Amino acid sequence: MSSIRKLIIIGNGFDLHHGIKSGFADFYNSSFMSEDIKNVYEIMTEQLRSGYSWYDFEEEYRKLIEVESDILGNKGYDGKTLGLTEGNLKIYKPRIDMINYIFQSIFQQFIQYLKSTLHDSKNNPNFRDDSCLQSILDETDQIINFNYTSTLSDIYDVPENKIIFVHGSLKKNNPILGHSNYYDSTTPQNYGFRVIIPDLRTLALLGDKNLQRIEMWNEFKFKSGSFSEEKDINLSPIEKMKIIRNNSPLSIDTIQHLFDKPFSNIVHNSNNQNVKNELAIDFSKELEVFVIGHGLKSDFDLLSKIPVTVKKVTILKRSIDSGEDLLKTAKSLFKTDNIYLKDYEWD
């Protein structure tokens, strides 16, 4: 693949612009979110919620994991580390399991909702091409798409070889959702590793989307405990995740390599199994970036590792979204002041 010059980052605002009711608020108020799961979710996130949107949903997931990590491996309630002792894990691991179970259950329900609303959205008058966006899409070399939908192909005929579905897609029936690494404006940290894996060798990583992404792209067949077996069909999402994490064929060195350099070509795994990385991109020395409908914070840990100089960033946002917050995050993320904010409305 030749070096790219123009990169587009696509988020949920892109789908919302085209009349797809894919926001968490729409799902939350639908009949697809069960009342029992909703009740537990509301109790869990009562002190965290700042609004109902897809971005907040991921952010709440991350914050809850962060709280448990602070207690065990970082700050503790009194500013001191409690430590990853066997006794403490017995107390706090069930709490982490519950967080993952609730959010993975919500996600399963959200996917069913999204499939239904996509069908209905095709009758929406905004489910059509936007000439402003079309011109940008026509000139891009690569698109990093954080949505599960095929809007880019359905409306704009963007070739699939230009699109990387970072979190899977409905079309391939492989969407994933997880908590992201801890958002920090200077040094993204990985809470998932520290919370669940005391010695970084016992692979029981639940809910971390970085690991799920690599497993998804490689369609790994696990050594044992695959929940594709008939006896495991009725297991809860969290039980399925436990089986997967505990039997992942990825070596810790390979995982660490992917976390440190997510856009690089993959190395051989310790068992001599080739591991492919669909995020392996041959970046140019200087890059022009367009951001369409993405808040940037929820995937800061990934995007901050783009290994080239970004010379210009253009952010297209909805008029209702906060430009000040976006600008601050973009400056920290792309390490440039050459950033332009534009509201996009229908032409």
Side-chain angles (χ1 to χ4, degrees):
M1 172 177 156
S2 59
S3 294
I4 68 169
R5 294 170 290 104
K6 292 186 178 181
L7 173 72
I8 294 180
I9 297 167
I10 296 283
N12 188 47
F14 181 84
D15 277 356
L16 294 174
H17 181 65
H18 292 89
I20 301 172
K21 295 182 178 180
S22 53
F24 180 52
D26 300 305
F27 162 64
Y28 181 86
N29 292 314
S30 75
S31 60
F32 284 83
M33 188 169 183
S34 62
E35 289 300 318
D36 55 341
I37 292 294
K38 183 183 290 188
N39 290 337
V40 178
Y41 161 77
E42 288 179 344
I43 294 171
M44 275 185 169
T45 60
E46 184 177 3
Q47 302 302 317
L48 301 178
R49 287 197 305 274
S50 58
Y52 296 119
S53 68
W54 175 246
Y55 165 72
D56 286 335
F57 178 53
E58 283 193 316
E59 180 69 353
E60 288 157 359
Y61 195 2
R62 180 196 67 74
K63 283 182 177 178
L64 288 168
I65 292 294
E66 178 191 341
V67 167
E68 302 302 328
S69 177
D70 280 346
I71 293 170
L72 283 176
N74 190 15
K75 300 173 184 176
Y77 285 122
D78 57 358
K80 297 179 181 179
T81 299
L82 292 182
L84 289 165
T85 64
E86 183 177 350
N88 286 338
L89 284 173
K90 285 182 179 179
I91 296 172
Y92 287 100
K93 194 172 185 302
R95 294 158 60 115
I96 297 166
D97 286 349
M98 178 58 73
I99 293 168
N100 282 294
Y101 169 73
I102 291 300
F103 278 88
Q104 291 302 322
S105 296
I106 289 172
F107 181 55
Q108 298 300 320
Q109 295 174 4
F110 175 79
I111 290 302
Q112 295 306 312
Y113 165 79
L114 191 55
K115 289 178 179 178
S116 175
T117 198
L118 275 174
H119 181 269
D120 296 338
S121 297
K122 293 183 178 179
N123 296 320
N124 189 296
N126 286 342
F127 196 80
R128 59 180 176 85
D129 64 306
D130 181 324
S131 59
C132 173
L133 297 182
Q134 183 75 69
S135 62
I136 296 172
L137 292 168
D138 287 343
E139 295 178 0
T140 191
D141 297 296
Q142 189 73 66
I143 299 172
I144 296 179
N145 186 11
F146 288 94
N147 296 338
Y148 307 113
T149 62
S150 55
T151 312
L152 286 163
S153 301
D154 292 345
I155 296 179
Y156 294 96
D157 295 323
V158 177
E160 288 203 1
N161 62 359
K162 279 191 174 185
I163 307 170
I164 298 173
F165 287 90
V166 183
H167 295 147
S169 69
L170 294 178
K171 184 176 180 180
K172 291 188 177 181
N173 199 31
N174 63 351
I176 62 170
L177 175 127
H179 58 76
S180 66
N181 291 344
Y182 173 61
Y183 169 71
D184 184 288
S185 61
T186 55
T187 308
Q189 302 175 50
N190 185 308
Y191 273 90
F193 260 62
R194 295 198 310 161
V195 173
I196 312 289
I197 309 178
D199 59 2
L200 296 186
R201 298 289 169 179
T202 306
L203 194 60
L205 191 62
L206 303 179
D208 190 292
K209 61 185 177 184
N210 296 281
L211 179 55
Q212 291 185 67
R213 182 171 63 234
I214 299 303
E215 292 174 342
M216 168 194 70
W217 285 334
N218 286 276
E219 298 180 339
F220 280 133
K221 302 298 182 183
F222 300 97
K223 296 176 183 177
S224 62
S226 169
F227 61 76
S228 61
E229 297 177 19
E230 185 176 354
K231 64 183 179 65
D232 296 320
I233 292 298
N234 294 321
L235 289 178
S236 66
I238 192 65
E239 291 298 328
K240 292 179 180 180
M241 290 179 68
K242 285 180 182 178
I243 291 172
I244 292 178
R245 300 284 87 76
N246 288 331
N247 294 282
S248 175
L250 288 170
S251 70
I252 196 66
D253 291 337
T254 299
I255 294 171
Q256 195 63 56
H257 174 83
L258 288 164
F259 275 61
D260 293 339
K261 300 178 179 179
F263 296 102
S264 65
N265 287 318
I266 202 61
V267 295
H268 284 292
N269 203 25
S270 59
N271 60 2
N272 293 321
Q273 183 175 15
N274 286 326
V275 181
K276 67 180 180 180
N277 178 21
E278 292 192 14
L279 267 176
I281 299 174
D282 183 10
F283 284 108
S284 61
K285 292 183 179 179
E286 291 189 325
L287 191 67
E288 182 175 3
V289 175
F290 293 87
V291 180
I292 306 176
H294 196 295
L296 298 178
K297 279 188 178 179
S298 60
D299 294 293
F300 188 96
D301 61 304
L302 175 65
L303 297 173
S304 64
K305 294 174 183 174
I306 291 176
V308 294
T309 299
V310 176
K311 64 179 182 178
K312 180 182 178 182
V313 179
T314 302
I315 301 177
L316 279 72
K317 69 177 189 67
R318 297 180 302 163
S319 58
I320 63 173
D321 294 330
S322 170
E324 182 179 346
D325 196 38
L326 265 173
L327 186 61
K328 181 180 177 181
T329 305
K331 285 183 177 180
S332 175
L333 177 61
F334 297 114
K335 303 296 188 292
T336 180
D337 290 324
N338 195 14
I339 299 174
Y340 301 88
L341 286 176
K342 294 183 179 180
D343 290 345
Y344 63 95
E345 306 295 343
W346 281 100
D347 50 16

